[in-house]
Amino acid sequence: MNTASAAQPSSAKQLVSQPLIYDLGLLFSVLLLVGIGIVMVYSASSALAFKKFGNGYFFLKKQGFFAFSGVVVLVAFSYIPFRWYRAIAYPALLVSLILLILVAFSPLGVKAGGAARWLQIGPLQFQPSELARMALVVYLSYSMSKKVDQLGDFYVGFLPHVIVLGVFILLLQAQPDFGAMVIFFLITWMMLFVGGCKLFHLSAVIPFLAPMAWFFMTSADYRVKRLTSFLDPWKDSADTGYQVVHSLMAFGSGGITGVGLGKGYQKLFYLPEPHTDFIFSVVGEELGLVGVAIVVALYAVILIRCTAISRQTRDRFGTLLATGITVSLGLQVCINMGVTLGLLPPKGLTLPFLSYGGTSLLINMAAIGIMMNIGAHGTRT
């Protein structure tokens, strides 16, 4: 499925210019999701856009631009040799930390819904946590590939990575962004497990982390309300359970084939953020079980192909990088879908390739481009 020219390039320039034979299953699945996302973003946001901006096409135009830019980014990153990312692992980590500090502790941080998660630099507004997530994956891949014979050592293979994770967690807590904190933690733990860290080290810190996590979740009233509403959203359906109740109502009213594209009811100022966090609910209502099954199948193809690439790669750094990207995408998909279906407490995470948002889409498209390059060149020793 994924092959490249048999000739070994004699220079970095040749490697960059060497044509790739794309993994068509992965590529088409991503592009189909992006296309479905453009349609669903318009359907979910047209009423909201008209009310806020007087233009029902406001979010559609922006998402169309993000999608076009994302395709360009995917192609560009597919031609960048994945081994080059080893050289930028630490600079990318440093830049990400600086951006997160600016979000939380400078006037450049943009607040919305009580949290400062965006950075405004001139006309450009973006979400640094998306960049930081990718930087963390690159750093862990590079660091563990260097320490392949020392990953069983607590002070070399485990502790430094946990310290870096802890710094990220503290900065994300300052925003606050609990959803990103969960993603960062799970990515780190899974990559350390796959990389070869001792299971004893990974499990020994859980008794210490559990009380901290419990304190964090119960230290603010709104988090406690989210937990209680997750257990019984119908008990307070007009307040804390509002999001989940209307999301479930959307899925329930969709039935097998849906109420029809553009004919959904819950997106009309009932579902909060229907074009971002809860776009999967709009899919369920308007396209029904059939539409949901198609979307889930496309994500399954993406994750299966990414897993296959990570298993086939001979380069240690490439294997870990592909694993980190796969875990990152898989966690975002599972958590978002779990929230919209009432299986997980609300986290405020977008659905990759489908939800509205430039930073998320561009970073995920870049990640797929990296995965394409790993698939094409990762079998080289």
Side-chain angles (χ1 to χ4, degrees):
M1 180 68 108
N2 268 351
T3 58
S5 174
Q8 178 72 24
S10 58
S11 67
K13 182 177 180 181
Q14 287 176 314
L15 184 56
V16 174
S17 62
Q18 182 181 13
L20 298 179
I21 298 179
Y22 287 96
D23 185 319
L24 297 183
L26 176 59
L27 180 63
F28 287 157
S29 296
V30 169
L31 294 180
L32 279 173
L33 279 174
V34 172
I36 293 172
I38 293 174
V39 175
M40 296 312 303
V41 163
Y42 172 62
S43 177
S45 67
S46 58
L48 177 65
F50 186 81
K51 180 181 179 181
K52 291 182 65 175
F53 306 103
N55 180 4
Y57 299 100
F58 179 82
F59 293 110
L60 171 65
K61 292 178 180 179
K62 296 188 72 173
Q63 188 69 3
F65 173 75
F66 295 148
F68 174 78
S69 302
V71 173
V72 174
V73 167
L74 186 155
V75 173
F77 273 77
S78 70
Y79 280 88
I80 299 175
F82 71 89
R83 295 177 180 87
W84 285 12
Y85 298 109
R86 291 181 292 197
I88 66 167
Y90 290 114
L93 193 69
L94 179 61
V95 170
S96 297
L97 292 172
I98 292 173
L99 292 176
L100 290 176
I101 291 172
L102 291 175
V103 170
F105 304 108
S106 81
L108 298 176
V110 178
K111 287 190 175 182
R117 300 176 184 174
W118 290 266
L119 196 63
Q120 184 81 43
I121 301 178
L124 181 64
Q125 181 174 309
F126 60 97
Q127 196 168 358
S129 62
E130 297 285 344
L131 297 169
R133 187 183 70 247
M134 195 64 211
L136 177 64
V137 169
V138 174
Y139 159 73
L140 290 172
S141 302
Y142 175 61
S143 180
M144 287 193 289
S145 65
K146 286 197 310 176
K147 304 171 182 177
V148 62
D149 297 323
Q150 298 175 292
L151 287 174
D153 188 311
F154 178 83
Y155 294 102
V156 178
F158 180 75
L159 187 59
H161 305 122
V162 175
I163 291 175
V164 171
L165 170 65
V167 174
F168 273 119
I169 293 294
L170 289 175
L171 292 175
L172 291 170
Q173 158 64 13
Q175 295 186 10
D177 190 346
F178 184 64
M181 291 167 62
V182 172
I183 292 285
F184 278 49
F185 174 82
L186 292 176
I187 287 175
T188 302
W189 242 242
M190 290 184 183
M191 288 189 68
L192 288 174
F193 175 75
V194 172
C197 283
K198 287 185 178 180
L199 186 59
F200 173 76
H201 294 158
L202 292 171
S203 57
V205 297
I206 293 179
F208 300 96
L209 292 177
M212 295 173 58
W214 178 256
F215 172 78
F216 175 79
M217 290 186 292
T218 57
S219 60
D221 289 339
Y222 79 92
R223 296 193 193 104
V224 176
K225 290 180 178 179
R226 281 188 175 184
L227 286 174
T228 55
S229 66
F230 161 67
L231 298 174
D232 187 7
W234 302 95
K235 186 177 181 179
D236 192 10
S237 59
D239 188 10
T240 56
Y242 182 85
Q243 295 177 330
V244 176
V245 166
H246 283 278
S247 179
L248 294 176
M249 289 173 65
F251 282 109
S253 61
I256 302 296
T257 58
V259 299
L261 186 62
K263 298 180 180 179
Y265 183 74
Q266 294 301 323
K267 66 185 181 184
L268 300 176
F269 312 108
Y270 290 96
L271 270 176
E273 307 298 335
H275 56 307
T276 56
D277 299 356
F278 285 89
I279 196 167
F280 192 55
S281 307
V282 179
V283 173
E285 183 177 20
E286 298 191 351
L287 304 181
L289 180 62
V290 174
V292 167
I294 291 173
V295 169
V296 171
L298 290 173
Y299 280 120
V301 172
I302 291 172
L303 296 177
I304 289 171
R305 290 306 312 147
C306 287
T307 301
I309 290 171
S310 66
R311 288 169 60 91
Q312 295 165 4
T313 301
R314 298 177 185 175
D315 183 277
R316 175 77 175 177
F317 172 73
T319 295
L320 291 169
L321 184 57
T323 299
I325 291 172
T326 305
V327 169
S328 175
L329 289 173
L331 287 172
Q332 292 176 74
V333 171
C334 291
I335 292 176
N336 180 276
M337 290 184 175
V339 168
T340 58
L341 291 169
L343 302 176
L344 293 172
K347 291 286 192 302
L349 291 173
T350 57
L351 191 57
F353 311 117
L354 212 64
S355 294
Y356 170 80
T359 310
S360 173
L361 183 57
L362 292 177
I363 292 297
N364 286 324
M365 293 292 271
I368 295 298
I370 295 171
M371 188 68 74
M372 292 284 186
N373 190 270
I374 296 173
H377 300 297
T379 56
R380 304 178 188 277
T381 55

PDB file of all heavy atoms in Angstrom, residues 19 23 62 74 90-91 123 137 169 199 223 245 275 300 312 322 325 344 364-366 377 380:
ATOM      1  N   PRO A  19       9.209  11.804  -5.408  1.00  0.00           N
ATOM      2  CA  PRO A  19       7.756  11.650  -5.401  1.00  0.00           C
ATOM      3  C   PRO A  19       7.325  10.557  -4.430  1.00  0.00           C
ATOM      4  O   PRO A  19       7.983   9.529  -4.285  1.00  0.00           O
ATOM      5  CB  PRO A  19       7.437  11.250  -6.857  1.00  0.00           C
ATOM      6  CG  PRO A  19       8.623  11.690  -7.643  1.00  0.00           C
ATOM      7  CD  PRO A  19       9.798  11.557  -6.731  1.00  0.00           C
ATOM      8  N   ASP A  23      -0.541   6.728   0.625  1.00  0.00           N
ATOM      9  CA  ASP A  23      -1.431   5.714   1.165  1.00  0.00           C
ATOM     10  C   ASP A  23      -2.853   6.181   0.846  1.00  0.00           C
ATOM     11  O   ASP A  23      -3.406   7.047   1.522  1.00  0.00           O
ATOM     12  CB  ASP A  23      -1.215   5.601   2.683  1.00  0.00           C
ATOM     13  CG  ASP A  23      -2.019   4.485   3.309  1.00  0.00           C
ATOM     14  OD1 ASP A  23      -3.190   4.315   2.929  1.00  0.00           O
ATOM     15  OD2 ASP A  23      -1.469   3.775   4.164  1.00  0.00           O
ATOM     16  N   LYS A  62     -14.798  30.512   6.172  1.00  0.00           N
ATOM     17  CA  LYS A  62     -13.563  30.324   6.922  1.00  0.00           C
ATOM     18  C   LYS A  62     -13.138  28.859   6.933  1.00  0.00           C
ATOM     19  O   LYS A  62     -11.956  28.546   6.775  1.00  0.00           O
ATOM     20  CB  LYS A  62     -13.736  30.844   8.357  1.00  0.00           C
ATOM     21  CG  LYS A  62     -13.982  32.348   8.444  1.00  0.00           C
ATOM     22  CD  LYS A  62     -13.946  32.858   9.864  1.00  0.00           C
ATOM     23  CE  LYS A  62     -12.544  32.866  10.442  1.00  0.00           C
ATOM     24  NZ  LYS A  62     -12.474  33.503  11.771  1.00  0.00           N
ATOM     25  N   LEU A  74      -0.864  19.413   4.245  1.00  0.00           N
ATOM     26  CA  LEU A  74      -0.698  17.960   4.197  1.00  0.00           C
ATOM     27  C   LEU A  74       0.318  17.573   3.120  1.00  0.00           C
ATOM     28  O   LEU A  74       1.237  16.782   3.370  1.00  0.00           O
ATOM     29  CB  LEU A  74      -2.044  17.286   3.932  1.00  0.00           C
ATOM     30  CG  LEU A  74      -2.099  15.753   3.991  1.00  0.00           C
ATOM     31  CD1 LEU A  74      -3.519  15.288   4.317  1.00  0.00           C
ATOM     32  CD2 LEU A  74      -1.664  15.098   2.678  1.00  0.00           C
ATOM     33  N   TYR A  90      13.605  19.871  20.603  1.00  0.00           N
ATOM     34  CA  TYR A  90      13.738  20.755  21.757  1.00  0.00           C
ATOM     35  C   TYR A  90      13.319  22.195  21.449  1.00  0.00           C
ATOM     36  O   TYR A  90      12.651  22.832  22.278  1.00  0.00           O
ATOM     37  CB  TYR A  90      15.168  20.699  22.293  1.00  0.00           C
ATOM     38  CG  TYR A  90      15.492  19.372  22.943  1.00  0.00           C
ATOM     39  CD1 TYR A  90      16.443  18.514  22.389  1.00  0.00           C
ATOM     40  CD2 TYR A  90      14.839  18.962  24.099  1.00  0.00           C
ATOM     41  CE1 TYR A  90      16.739  17.286  22.975  1.00  0.00           C
ATOM     42  CE2 TYR A  90      15.118  17.740  24.689  1.00  0.00           C
ATOM     43  CZ  TYR A  90      16.062  16.898  24.119  1.00  0.00           C
ATOM     44  OH  TYR A  90      16.340  15.679  24.695  1.00  0.00           O
ATOM     45  N   PRO A  91      13.686  22.762  20.279  1.00  0.00           N
ATOM     46  CA  PRO A  91      13.173  24.100  19.960  1.00  0.00           C
ATOM     47  C   PRO A  91      11.646  24.155  19.906  1.00  0.00           C
ATOM     48  O   PRO A  91      11.038  25.113  20.390  1.00  0.00           O
ATOM     49  CB  PRO A  91      13.790  24.383  18.583  1.00  0.00           C
ATOM     50  CG  PRO A  91      15.032  23.572  18.546  1.00  0.00           C
ATOM     51  CD  PRO A  91      14.703  22.317  19.296  1.00  0.00           C
ATOM     52  N   PRO A 123      -3.619  40.093  13.599  1.00  0.00           N
ATOM     53  CA  PRO A 123      -4.887  39.529  13.108  1.00  0.00           C
ATOM     54  C   PRO A 123      -4.976  38.013  13.287  1.00  0.00           C
ATOM     55  O   PRO A 123      -6.022  37.416  13.038  1.00  0.00           O
ATOM     56  CB  PRO A 123      -4.852  39.884  11.615  1.00  0.00           C
ATOM     57  CG  PRO A 123      -3.399  39.915  11.270  1.00  0.00           C
ATOM     58  CD  PRO A 123      -2.698  40.433  12.504  1.00  0.00           C
ATOM     59  N   VAL A 137       4.599  15.201  21.201  1.00  0.00           N
ATOM     60  CA  VAL A 137       4.771  13.925  20.495  1.00  0.00           C
ATOM     61  C   VAL A 137       6.170  13.845  19.875  1.00  0.00           C
ATOM     62  O   VAL A 137       6.851  12.817  19.975  1.00  0.00           O
ATOM     63  CB  VAL A 137       3.688  13.762  19.418  1.00  0.00           C
ATOM     64  CG1 VAL A 137       4.009  12.574  18.502  1.00  0.00           C
ATOM     65  CG2 VAL A 137       2.325  13.569  20.060  1.00  0.00           C
ATOM     66  N   ILE A 169       1.188  20.313  32.014  1.00  0.00           N
ATOM     67  CA  ILE A 169      -0.052  20.225  32.790  1.00  0.00           C
ATOM     68  C   ILE A 169      -0.280  21.497  33.601  1.00  0.00           C
ATOM     69  O   ILE A 169      -1.401  22.024  33.660  1.00  0.00           O
ATOM     70  CB  ILE A 169      -0.010  18.994  33.728  1.00  0.00           C
ATOM     71  CG1 ILE A 169      -0.029  17.692  32.919  1.00  0.00           C
ATOM     72  CG2 ILE A 169      -1.188  19.031  34.708  1.00  0.00           C
ATOM     73  CD1 ILE A 169      -1.298  17.442  32.158  1.00  0.00           C
ATOM     74  N   LEU A 199       6.507  -1.169  33.178  1.00  0.00           N
ATOM     75  CA  LEU A 199       5.119  -1.058  33.610  1.00  0.00           C
ATOM     76  C   LEU A 199       5.032  -0.681  35.087  1.00  0.00           C
ATOM     77  O   LEU A 199       4.110   0.031  35.505  1.00  0.00           O
ATOM     78  CB  LEU A 199       4.386  -2.379  33.353  1.00  0.00           C
ATOM     79  CG  LEU A 199       2.872  -2.390  33.616  1.00  0.00           C
ATOM     80  CD1 LEU A 199       2.176  -1.357  32.744  1.00  0.00           C
ATOM     81  CD2 LEU A 199       2.301  -3.779  33.371  1.00  0.00           C
ATOM     82  N   ARG A 223     -16.731  22.134  37.867  1.00  0.00           N
ATOM     83  CA  ARG A 223     -16.262  20.783  37.556  1.00  0.00           C
ATOM     84  C   ARG A 223     -17.087  19.746  38.316  1.00  0.00           C
ATOM     85  O   ARG A 223     -17.395  18.676  37.776  1.00  0.00           O
ATOM     86  CB  ARG A 223     -14.784  20.643  37.911  1.00  0.00           C
ATOM     87  CG  ARG A 223     -13.864  21.542  37.100  1.00  0.00           C
ATOM     88  CD  ARG A 223     -12.408  21.122  37.262  1.00  0.00           C
ATOM     89  NE  ARG A 223     -11.518  22.148  36.751  1.00  0.00           N
ATOM     90  CZ  ARG A 223     -10.821  22.986  37.499  1.00  0.00           C
ATOM     91  NH1 ARG A 223     -10.882  22.895  38.808  1.00  0.00           N
ATOM     92  NH2 ARG A 223     -10.045  23.905  36.960  1.00  0.00           N
ATOM     93  N   VAL A 245     -28.011  16.424  27.348  1.00  0.00           N
ATOM     94  CA  VAL A 245     -29.416  16.119  27.064  1.00  0.00           C
ATOM     95  C   VAL A 245     -29.768  16.457  25.628  1.00  0.00           C
ATOM     96  O   VAL A 245     -30.369  15.652  24.911  1.00  0.00           O
ATOM     97  CB  VAL A 245     -30.338  16.871  28.045  1.00  0.00           C
ATOM     98  CG1 VAL A 245     -31.784  16.847  27.543  1.00  0.00           C
ATOM     99  CG2 VAL A 245     -30.256  16.247  29.434  1.00  0.00           C
ATOM    100  N   HIS A 275     -21.157  23.640  15.772  1.00  0.00           N
ATOM    101  CA  HIS A 275     -20.215  23.501  14.664  1.00  0.00           C
ATOM    102  C   HIS A 275     -18.812  23.118  15.133  1.00  0.00           C
ATOM    103  O   HIS A 275     -17.938  22.889  14.298  1.00  0.00           O
ATOM    104  CB  HIS A 275     -20.139  24.801  13.854  1.00  0.00           C
ATOM    105  CG  HIS A 275     -19.771  26.008  14.664  1.00  0.00           C
ATOM    106  ND1 HIS A 275     -20.439  26.374  15.799  1.00  0.00           N
ATOM    107  CD2 HIS A 275     -18.788  26.938  14.495  1.00  0.00           C
ATOM    108  CE1 HIS A 275     -19.907  27.471  16.291  1.00  0.00           C
ATOM    109  NE2 HIS A 275     -18.901  27.826  15.528  1.00  0.00           N
ATOM    110  N   ALA A 300     -12.056   4.909  11.535  1.00  0.00           N
ATOM    111  CA  ALA A 300     -11.466   3.585  11.738  1.00  0.00           C
ATOM    112  C   ALA A 300     -10.401   3.301  10.688  1.00  0.00           C
ATOM    113  O   ALA A 300      -9.315   2.780  11.002  1.00  0.00           O
ATOM    114  CB  ALA A 300     -12.554   2.512  11.695  1.00  0.00           C
ATOM    115  N   GLN A 312       5.066  -0.934  10.622  1.00  0.00           N
ATOM    116  CA  GLN A 312       5.928  -1.292   9.502  1.00  0.00           C
ATOM    117  C   GLN A 312       7.231  -0.490   9.466  1.00  0.00           C
ATOM    118  O   GLN A 312       8.170  -0.864   8.767  1.00  0.00           O
ATOM    119  CB  GLN A 312       5.180  -1.096   8.182  1.00  0.00           C
ATOM    120  CG  GLN A 312       3.988  -2.034   8.016  1.00  0.00           C
ATOM    121  CD  GLN A 312       3.051  -1.588   6.899  1.00  0.00           C
ATOM    122  OE1 GLN A 312       3.334  -0.616   6.191  1.00  0.00           O
ATOM    123  NE2 GLN A 312       1.939  -2.296   6.732  1.00  0.00           N
ATOM    124  N   ALA A 322       5.009   8.016  14.634  1.00  0.00           N
ATOM    125  CA  ALA A 322       3.752   7.529  14.065  1.00  0.00           C
ATOM    126  C   ALA A 322       2.814   7.049  15.162  1.00  0.00           C
ATOM    127  O   ALA A 322       1.589   7.265  15.098  1.00  0.00           O
ATOM    128  CB  ALA A 322       4.032   6.400  13.075  1.00  0.00           C
ATOM    129  N   ILE A 325       1.271  10.168  16.889  1.00  0.00           N
ATOM    130  CA  ILE A 325       0.239  10.786  16.051  1.00  0.00           C
ATOM    131  C   ILE A 325      -1.038   9.950  16.078  1.00  0.00           C
ATOM    132  O   ILE A 325      -2.150  10.475  16.195  1.00  0.00           O
ATOM    133  CB  ILE A 325       0.753  10.955  14.613  1.00  0.00           C
ATOM    134  CG1 ILE A 325       1.858  12.011  14.563  1.00  0.00           C
ATOM    135  CG2 ILE A 325      -0.389  11.338  13.663  1.00  0.00           C
ATOM    136  CD1 ILE A 325       2.554  12.121  13.217  1.00  0.00           C
ATOM    137  N   LEU A 344     -18.836  10.229  28.443  1.00  0.00           N
ATOM    138  CA  LEU A 344     -17.742  10.900  29.158  1.00  0.00           C
ATOM    139  C   LEU A 344     -18.212  12.300  29.558  1.00  0.00           C
ATOM    140  O   LEU A 344     -19.075  12.883  28.888  1.00  0.00           O
ATOM    141  CB  LEU A 344     -16.498  11.021  28.259  1.00  0.00           C
ATOM    142  CG  LEU A 344     -15.785   9.720  27.875  1.00  0.00           C
ATOM    143  CD1 LEU A 344     -14.711  10.008  26.829  1.00  0.00           C
ATOM    144  CD2 LEU A 344     -15.164   9.063  29.095  1.00  0.00           C
ATOM    145  N   ASN A 364      -3.701  18.817  12.509  1.00  0.00           N
ATOM    146  CA  ASN A 364      -4.025  17.418  12.204  1.00  0.00           C
ATOM    147  C   ASN A 364      -3.696  17.064  10.756  1.00  0.00           C
ATOM    148  O   ASN A 364      -3.275  15.939  10.463  1.00  0.00           O
ATOM    149  CB  ASN A 364      -5.496  17.133  12.515  1.00  0.00           C
ATOM    150  CG  ASN A 364      -5.775  17.036  13.998  1.00  0.00           C
ATOM    151  OD1 ASN A 364      -4.956  16.537  14.764  1.00  0.00           O
ATOM    152  ND2 ASN A 364      -6.930  17.521  14.423  1.00  0.00           N
ATOM    153  N   MET A 365      -3.871  18.005   9.847  1.00  0.00           N
ATOM    154  CA  MET A 365      -3.491  17.747   8.451  1.00  0.00           C
ATOM    155  C   MET A 365      -1.975  17.639   8.320  1.00  0.00           C
ATOM    156  O   MET A 365      -1.460  16.805   7.562  1.00  0.00           O
ATOM    157  CB  MET A 365      -4.029  18.861   7.549  1.00  0.00           C
ATOM    158  CG  MET A 365      -5.549  18.904   7.447  1.00  0.00           C
ATOM    159  SD  MET A 365      -6.254  17.482   6.587  1.00  0.00           S
ATOM    160  CE  MET A 365      -6.233  18.074   4.895  1.00  0.00           C
ATOM    161  N   ALA A 366      -1.251  18.476   9.079  1.00  0.00           N
ATOM    162  CA  ALA A 366       0.207  18.363   9.090  1.00  0.00           C
ATOM    163  C   ALA A 366       0.628  17.005   9.637  1.00  0.00           C
ATOM    164  O   ALA A 366       1.560  16.371   9.126  1.00  0.00           O
ATOM    165  CB  ALA A 366       0.815  19.485   9.939  1.00  0.00           C
ATOM    166  N   HIS A 377       8.859   6.494   3.562  1.00  0.00           N
ATOM    167  CA  HIS A 377      10.312   6.399   3.742  1.00  0.00           C
ATOM    168  C   HIS A 377      10.726   5.677   5.021  1.00  0.00           C
ATOM    169  O   HIS A 377      11.913   5.453   5.227  1.00  0.00           O
ATOM    170  CB  HIS A 377      10.934   7.802   3.764  1.00  0.00           C
ATOM    171  CG  HIS A 377      10.689   8.575   2.512  1.00  0.00           C
ATOM    172  ND1 HIS A 377      11.172   8.182   1.282  1.00  0.00           N
ATOM    173  CD2 HIS A 377       9.991   9.736   2.296  1.00  0.00           C
ATOM    174  CE1 HIS A 377      10.793   9.072   0.372  1.00  0.00           C
ATOM    175  NE2 HIS A 377      10.078  10.001   0.960  1.00  0.00           N
ATOM    176  N   ARG A 380      13.062   2.440   5.321  1.00  0.00           N
ATOM    177  CA  ARG A 380      14.497   2.515   5.053  1.00  0.00           C
ATOM    178  C   ARG A 380      15.257   2.462   6.355  1.00  0.00           C
ATOM    179  O   ARG A 380      14.848   3.052   7.346  1.00  0.00           O
ATOM    180  CB  ARG A 380      14.852   3.818   4.319  1.00  0.00           C
ATOM    181  CG  ARG A 380      14.077   3.997   3.028  1.00  0.00           C
ATOM    182  CD  ARG A 380      14.469   5.338   2.398  1.00  0.00           C
ATOM    183  NE  ARG A 380      13.609   5.621   1.266  1.00  0.00           N
ATOM    184  CZ  ARG A 380      13.805   5.137   0.045  1.00  0.00           C
ATOM    185  NH1 ARG A 380      14.802   4.304  -0.172  1.00  0.00           N
ATOM    186  NH2 ARG A 380      12.996   5.450  -0.937  1.00  0.00           N
TER     187      ARG A 380
END
